[in-house]
Amino acid sequence: ASVVAFVTGHEDPGKDDTAVDYQALASLIARGATACFYMGIGRLESIRDTLLARGLPPSTPVAIIQWGTLPNQRSLRTTLACAKEDCDHAALGSPAIIVVGQVAGLDEPGLDWFTTRPLFGRRILVTRTRQQASELSERLRELGAMVHEAPTIEIAPPADWSAADAHVRKVREYDWLVLTSANGVTSLAERLAALGLDARHMSGVRIAAIGDATAGALQRYLAIRADFVPTRFVAESLAGELLAKEDVKGKRFLLWRADIARPALPSLLEQAGAVVTECVAYETRPAPGLPEEALEALKGCEIDWITFTSSSTARNLVELLGDDAPLLQRVQTASIGPITTQTMRELGLPVTVEAETSNIQGLVAAMLSHRIPQPLTSVR
């Protein structure tokens, strides 16, 4: 529209007359202008009657949008004559904006891009750590979802850094440094800095990263390219693929990882003759509790999806819910990979989808591939 007017729909009820020149407004709308009434749902009937009395045709297009720009946005298209009746029937309420004019009648392909995003209106519970949730949450919001962040684990430094620092200082004594998470990379970068060292200190050491997220963090924080990244981002694949291309007998490996890391990787390497040293780079602890908002959403059956990005997120969510754990049976779930899926099944949790590639992109892709009907967002 060439002319757009924003008009308050809620005036001081104590005033004898309106401050809005409805005659001029109706004349502008009739000539192609658009009027947007905010705070007007409570006075929709009066606005309609006044515009009709000022000569606007009953067929004038009207659009009403509730919770505009949010993942729970609802809207309807109607006409001026039917606006009040249709709004009541659809149970649209405040906050909402009422758009009156020819623009409200446009129905061009692609115009409604906002509500046609693949996850629009879905409520998704993200159980990643608070430090890691942002990447996944941001991607889900871009696709239209309403995200509830409910970290089930917390990342904490070891109580004593002396053992880890000793390994960092003598890292060049090892043939391989194995990093099994992005958290491990950030921990390594922090310890190097704390000791007055940088990436040059690790020259000559070959580095294996368990997946592309870990390899990406390695480049981002230390400007180092991983020497080896397996095709499947689990410990068994890292060990199996590395052993297929390298003779590790007698080679020294430093595994820089979490305190709760699975024993599969060191066991497979040691069986092949490698000398393995494990170092706790960070500790994982259960979160003290779930955010009240997330818990209430679960109890109210308002969650459509729950994402699990590790076995510990699944275990801890079940423990945090306690007697309310059966609530999880009603929700679709997305697992980041086979190890997480195995844990979920051991816990009796349903597994709706599993990522083909064990990273955030793969997790989101798996959810998008599971076609389910879009929620109702336009009632007319």
Side-chain angles (χ1 to χ4, degrees), residues 31 43 47 62 75 85 108 120 126 145 157 188 193 212 231 253 266 270 287 330 364:
R31 287 182 287 163
R43 294 188 63 252
I47 292 170
V62 171
S75 64
E85 177 187 27
E108 298 176 4
F120 181 79
V126 172
L188 178 61
D212 58 8
T231 56
F253 282 74
E270 287 172 344
R330 311 171 184 172
V364 174

Side-chain angles (χ1 to χ4, degrees), residues 222-286:
L222 290 170
I224 295 175
R225 291 183 181 273
D227 296 285
F228 177 76
V229 181
T231 56
R232 296 184 71 239
F233 306 155
V234 293
E236 289 81 355
S237 291
L238 190 155
E241 293 180 33
L242 184 61
L243 294 177
K245 62 177 293 189
E246 295 279 340
D247 180 7
V248 303
K249 188 173 182 178
K251 301 292 184 181
R252 300 191 65 190
F253 282 74
L254 175 62
L255 274 53
W256 183 270
R257 57 193 200 148
D259 59 330
I260 61 169
R262 295 185 304 122
L265 180 57
S267 176
L268 290 168
L269 291 173
E270 287 172 344
Q271 288 173 25
V275 179
V276 178
T277 300
E278 297 185 63
C279 180
V280 174
Y282 59 94
E283 297 178 357
T284 59
R285 303 169 184 168

Side-chain angles (χ1 to χ4, degrees), residues 137-194:
S137 298
E138 182 178 347
R139 180 61 182 141
L140 294 173
R141 290 187 182 109
E142 288 173 353
L143 294 167
M146 177 176 289
V147 177
H148 296 269
E149 291 187 0
T152 59
I153 57 177
E154 294 181 344
I155 302 298
D160 183 359
W161 276 114
S162 58
D165 287 349
H167 287 304
V168 171
R169 289 190 181 96
K170 62 180 183 178
V171 69
R172 281 187 291 221
E173 296 179 8
Y174 295 95
D175 300 289
W176 282 91
L177 169 65
V178 181
L179 300 166
T180 57
S181 71
N183 286 323
V185 175
T186 56
S187 170
L188 178 61
E190 289 169 1
R191 294 325 298 166
L192 284 167

Side-chain angles (χ1 to χ4, degrees), residues 342-357:
Q342 179 182 334
T343 301
M344 290 170 64
R345 287 181 173 145
E346 290 170 356
L347 292 166
L349 298 179
V351 181
T352 309
V353 295
E354 179 188 301
E356 290 187 12
T357 304

Side-chain angles (χ1 to χ4, degrees), residues 85-155:
E85 177 187 27
D86 288 347
C87 185
D88 290 346
H89 179 72
L92 292 185
S94 298
I97 191 163
I98 305 159
V99 182
V100 182
Q102 295 305 312
V103 165
L106 290 178
D107 195 20
E108 298 176 4
L111 190 62
D112 193 20
W113 61 270
F114 186 78
T115 61
T116 55
R117 291 176 295 169
L119 292 178
F120 181 79
R122 304 294 177 205
R123 292 175 179 261
I124 301 176
L125 190 71
V126 172
T127 59
R128 288 194 108 192
T129 65
R130 196 172 305 280
Q131 299 96 318
Q132 294 177 305
S134 58
E135 180 187 356
L136 176 56
S137 298
E138 182 178 347
R139 180 61 182 141
L140 294 173
R141 290 187 182 109
E142 288 173 353
L143 294 167
M146 177 176 289
V147 177
H148 296 269
E149 291 187 0
T152 59
I153 57 177
E154 294 181 344
I155 302 298

